[in-house]
Amino acid sequence: MSHLSQFSPWVATGIAALLALLGALVVHRIGGLVLLRATQFMPVVHTTIRTCHRSARLVLVLAALQLVWQAATNEMPMIDTVRHLNGLLLIGAFTWLAIDAINGLADGIVAQHPYDVDDNLQARRIMTQARVLARTATLVALVAGLAMMLMTFPGARQVGASLLASAGVIGIVAGLAAKPVFSNLIAGLQIALAQPIRIDDVLIVQGEWGRVEEITGTYVVLKIWDDRRLIIPLQWFIENPFQNWTRTGSELLGSVFFSVDFGMPIAPLRAELERLVPTLPEFDGRFFNLQVTDTTERTMQLRVLVTAQSSGKAFDLRCKVRELMIDFMQREYPRFLPTVRIQHHEGEPMPLSQATPAGLAGQMAGSAAEAGLAATASVPQA
């Protein structure tokens, strides 16, 4: 009978806890449906509520149970332990809810600005800010939650007081140890606000061409053109120069170079370029031209400029223009492709492609005869 009297308060408290649990689930179910219906025309809030569905249920259940434990009499055995444990779980649930709310808000904002379009500069700017700031806020919420859980232990307060008493040396050591973490955290905030890079930006980093696939709280994932991944710390982008091809827009100006003989006529090449470029689907209609940009002792350099809406289209457009113009020159003006010449004894230039073995042997024999030497050729004279 003594054992029964000892546990009888727990029977009533357990029944109250069960009723509180059922009530919390009912409130969560009805409240969730009402909020989802009321916010269906507010996409950002609607997405946030949907993301917080599971964590909000846990918070309501633990909060209801905590009310029951607090209302119970202090003479109940182990009630203090139950209260403390439930309080720890409640703090963890609130931290989970805060993290879900932050991520849901970021997802809702990103969903309102899709970036899978050609001109997605504004969408990528918003997406980068939302993702980086959400990760920073998540880290802050997680640290705050852990700190609140530690503060519920009396021993943790004493440890904190002793640490503060010797904060000089320990602060220096902790500062040096945490420097990479805090530098990346500050760099993440700088990237989110100043935005030297954004999600889906095209970068040239250490000679590698790739797109920004992900920006985390400590590093950036660059997807290289051949599907490799380059992992770069956030701080690197603050301290080092790099190329950003999509900083102010996705449109790019592509260049194609050709080395041709001085005899190549320019006007037919321009006419062919004017005919070809407008027919290519990658061309955005803004600009194209052909110019002689340089000369050497043997060739002249032609440069073709074409524009496209994105870096990927610009690369494909350059390849197509290069292939089609080379095909045109091979078909119409093959004699004016780059050649190496030798000099006839009469002083007339002759392309190396026309210098047959027989012709070369004849030239060698003629030169030897003029010098009074006996010359023979291993091939018949032409």
Side-chain angles (χ1 to χ4, degrees):
M1 294 296 293
S2 60
H3 295 289
L4 183 59
S5 62
Q6 181 181 1
F7 289 102
S8 59
W10 272 109
V11 174
T13 304
I15 295 174
L18 181 59
L19 294 176
L21 176 63
L22 294 177
L25 293 176
V26 171
V27 170
H28 175 266
R29 179 67 174 175
I30 298 175
L33 293 176
V34 171
L35 289 176
L36 288 175
R37 182 176 294 274
T39 60
Q40 59 183 345
F41 298 107
M42 294 181 286
V44 176
V45 180
H46 189 78
T47 303
T48 305
I49 293 175
R50 289 176 61 91
T51 306
C52 297
H53 181 76
R54 291 184 299 172
S55 56
R57 178 173 55 195
L58 182 60
V59 167
L60 287 175
V61 169
L62 291 174
L65 291 176
Q66 189 68 14
L67 291 176
V68 174
W69 309 141
Q70 292 295 333
T73 178
N74 294 330
E75 286 74 19
M76 291 178 58
M78 299 184 65
I79 188 62
D80 292 332
T81 303
V82 173
R83 288 171 179 171
H84 190 199
L85 180 59
N86 196 97
L88 291 175
L89 295 176
L90 184 58
I91 293 174
F94 268 115
T95 304
W96 182 19
L97 178 62
I99 293 174
D100 279 351
I102 294 169
N103 292 329
L105 182 63
D107 292 340
I109 293 174
V110 171
Q112 291 298 104
H113 302 84
Y115 69 97
D116 53 347
V117 293
D118 291 332
D119 189 7
N120 58 1
L121 178 62
Q122 180 68 14
R124 291 188 292 108
R125 179 184 294 115
I126 293 174
M127 181 179 182
T128 302
Q129 286 182 334
R131 294 300 187 197
V132 176
L133 292 177
R135 288 190 174 95
T136 303
T138 298
L139 180 60
V140 172
L142 185 59
V143 172
L146 291 175
M148 292 177 64
M149 294 175 72
L150 288 175
M151 292 301 292
T152 62
F153 294 93
R157 299 193 187 99
Q158 297 175 2
V159 172
S162 62
L163 288 178
L164 289 176
S166 58
V169 177
I170 295 179
I172 296 175
V173 175
L176 293 175
K179 180 182 177 182
V181 177
F182 287 112
S183 62
N184 279 321
L185 180 61
I186 296 173
L189 292 176
Q190 289 179 296
I191 288 175
L193 298 177
Q195 293 197 336
I197 60 173
R198 307 179 189 90
I199 300 294
D200 206 43
D201 264 347
V202 177
L203 307 182
I204 304 295
V205 177
Q206 298 180 342
E208 296 283 2
W209 182 98
R211 289 183 178 273
V212 178
E213 185 177 48
E214 185 181 3
I215 301 178
T216 69
T218 55
Y219 59 86
V220 174
V221 179
L222 191 68
K223 182 179 180 181
I224 309 302
W225 64 272
D226 57 358
D227 286 341
R228 289 177 293 143
R229 300 301 193 275
L230 185 62
I231 310 300
I232 311 162
L234 286 177
Q235 188 65 23
W236 188 93
F237 289 97
I238 305 300
E239 299 176 348
N240 297 277
F242 58 93
Q243 296 183 40
N244 189 337
W245 286 12
T246 53
R247 178 69 179 86
T248 58
S250 59
E251 299 87 358
L252 281 181
L253 180 68
S255 58
V256 182
F257 292 92
F258 302 96
S259 294
V260 297
D261 189 80
F262 283 102
M264 176 71 73
I266 305 301
L269 295 182
R270 283 202 177 100
E272 180 66 10
L273 187 69
E274 293 176 358
R275 184 190 70 83
L276 285 175
V277 172
T279 64
L280 301 177
E282 293 82 5
F283 178 59
D284 62 2
R286 288 189 296 134
F287 173 78
F288 71 92
N289 75 349
L290 184 147
Q291 291 178 314
V292 179
T293 56
D294 197 7
T295 57
T296 66
E297 67 275 7
R298 291 174 178 167
T299 61
M300 60 180 176
Q301 185 183 73
L302 306 181
R303 185 190 68 183
V304 175
L305 296 179
V306 287
T307 58
Q309 290 183 349
S310 64
S311 59
K313 290 184 178 180
F315 180 82
D316 293 338
L317 180 60
R318 291 167 56 203
C319 292
K320 288 186 178 181
V321 169
R322 187 180 296 112
E323 293 172 3
L324 293 173
M325 292 301 294
I326 290 176
D327 180 70
F328 174 76
M329 288 186 286
Q330 287 176 338
R331 185 175 66 251
E332 301 295 335
Y333 303 99
R335 62 188 181 278
F336 295 131
L337 295 176
T339 56
V340 178
R341 290 180 171 83
I342 64 172
Q343 196 75 14
H344 281 285
H345 65 278
E346 293 89 353
E348 297 179 357
M350 180 178 67
L352 185 61
S353 57
Q354 298 178 9
T356 61
L360 290 174
Q363 294 174 35
M364 293 170 60
S367 299
E370 290 180 2
L373 299 175
T376 60
S378 60
V379 294
Q381 295 285 337

